[in-house]
Amino acid sequence: MSNEKYIGNVRLFDSEKRDVQYLSEDNHPAIISKETFQAVQTEKRKRSNVNKSKGGIQRKDKKYSSKKYTN
């Protein structure tokens, strides 16, 4: 759930190749609240095994590093 259309927004010219993008907020009725959308985005970043920094994108060593597995 990362598409802004769920909260009624439309992003035009959404491409990495384009320098200019236009955001039309409240373009259509929202399906979920903006607060819920932001909470989901925060949780997705927290659960991701990808670290984005100025140096580039790197994967974490272990996806679930906080869990310990025993046999």
Side-chain angles (χ1 to χ4, degrees):
M1 183 155 71
S2 58
N3 195 331
E4 291 177 311
K5 291 179 183 178
Y6 288 115
I7 57 173
N9 295 348
V10 175
R11 191 170 296 272
L12 304 173
F13 302 117
D14 186 17
S15 173
E16 294 177 11
K17 297 177 183 177
R18 304 248 184 197
D19 292 334
V20 178
Q21 295 181 8
Y22 299 96
L23 176 64
S24 175
E25 295 185 25
D26 300 321
N27 187 59
H28 54 276
I31 298 171
I32 62 170
S33 70
K34 291 180 182 182
E35 293 80 17
T36 302
F37 183 80
Q38 289 303 322
V40 169
Q41 301 315 303
T42 301
E43 188 65 24
K44 283 177 61 176
R45 281 189 298 276
K46 190 170 96 175
R47 292 184 183 195
S48 175
N49 70 336
V50 176
N51 287 330
K52 295 180 182 178
S53 65
K54 292 180 183 177
I57 298 173
Q58 296 179 345
R59 293 205 179 270
K60 296 177 186 174
D61 290 339
K62 296 180 182 177
K63 186 170 184 176
Y64 303 105
S65 59
S66 62
K67 294 183 180 180
K68 295 183 180 180
Y69 295 101
T70 59
N71 291 335

